Amino acid sequence: MVTKQTETAGAGTSTLEKKPRVFSGIQPSGNFHVGNYLGAIRNWVNQQSDFENSFCIVDLHSLSLATTRESMRANIRSLANVLVASGIDPRQSTLFVQSDVPAHSELCWILQSVTQYGELRRMTQFKDKGGGTDESVSAALFTYPVLMAADILLYDAEYVPVGEDQKQHLELTRDIAHRFNTRYGDTFVVPKPDIKKEGA
């Protein structure tokens, strides 16, 4: 957790002010729209000075659907440009690409050992994107929520800005963290959702 040192006037002592950690990710789908800005990016920008921020371009999540190397590279670069142009300040926040940090996929594998098959079957986004064709969708789409849990838990995030469509995934992340901590000892911070009314 980031700390900020401040001097107490006239006392010659210092206190440490801690900022809560925030993690949020966005897919480089190439389909960035005003809803992304109103629902997420605007809030990220406005809260930068209040938190220790990690904003991630989650390219591994994009692999759950068919794509090409060329379009993935172009979409990552384009999204990074949009985020910086929207006001994400690298001097205040960490902005990075998910696949540049191997620990995301490594932790995903470990967390699958405490994730139940039935929990993943109940994820509404899997049902929606799978379109009822379970036999032909990728396993990556099925385990997408576990990778999302790894993204969040890896950084000890206390808050996760999410829309209503991702709330179910965050609840699963909380369940996974609780289960892992119970089985192996206190390891992960159990994150809380940060859902804004505007743009939700």
Side-chain angles (χ1 to χ4, degrees):
M1 186 175 293
V2 153
T3 58
K4 180 174 138 184
Q5 187 166 306
T6 57
E7 293 291 328
T8 303
T13 60
S14 64
T15 59
L16 293 178
E17 177 189 324
K18 295 182 179 179
K19 290 186 177 182
R21 275 192 180 162
V22 166
F23 175 91
S24 199
I26 186 167
Q27 280 196 52
S29 64
N31 189 27
F32 190 87
H33 50 78
V34 71
N36 298 125
Y37 177 77
L38 295 176
I41 309 306
R42 179 179 58 176
N43 295 322
W44 295 1
V45 172
N46 292 340
Q47 296 181 163
Q48 278 184 107
S49 60
D50 300 326
F51 299 101
E52 178 191 352
N53 305 287
S54 292
F55 299 127
C56 184
I57 297 175
V58 289
D59 56 334
L60 295 177
H61 286 288
S62 295
L63 295 176
S64 62
L65 300 172
T67 187
T68 65
R69 179 174 61 180
E70 292 75 17
S71 64
M72 178 72 77
R73 285 180 175 171
N75 290 344
I76 290 170
R77 189 174 298 112
S78 175
L79 181 54
N81 289 336
V82 167
L83 293 174
V84 172
S86 297
I88 298 298
D89 184 352
R91 294 168 298 182
Q92 288 186 289
S93 303
T94 301
L95 176 60
F96 67 103
V97 177
Q98 182 186 32
S99 61
D100 287 342
V101 183
H104 285 263
S105 50
E106 293 166 358
L107 182 57
C108 177
W109 178 257
I110 293 168
L111 294 181
Q112 288 183 75
S113 69
V114 295
T115 305
Q116 298 167 358
Y117 177 80
E119 290 175 314
L120 297 178
R121 289 276 301 170
R122 289 190 292 274
M123 293 291 106
T124 56
Q125 280 209 337
F126 172 70
K127 293 176 182 177
D128 293 344
K129 290 184 179 179
T133 57
D134 293 4
E135 297 299 319
S136 61
V137 299
S138 72
L141 185 61
F142 186 66
T143 58
Y144 178 110
V146 188
L147 180 57
M148 181 175 166
D151 297 337
I152 296 164
L153 298 178
L154 190 61
Y155 296 95
D156 291 334
E158 296 171 64
Y159 296 98
V160 182
V162 291
E164 286 292 340
D165 62 327
Q166 293 292 319
K167 187 177 179 182
Q168 187 186 33
H169 286 172
L170 186 58
E171 288 303 318
L172 178 62
T173 298
R174 290 171 53 82
D175 291 342
I176 291 171
H178 277 300
R179 196 173 299 137
F180 192 98
N181 289 346
T182 299
R183 185 178 298 182
Y184 297 110
D186 194 18
T187 307
F188 296 116
V189 171
V190 180
K192 300 178 184 69
D194 177 18
I195 302 175
K196 298 288 188 289
K197 290 182 181 179
E198 288 185 9

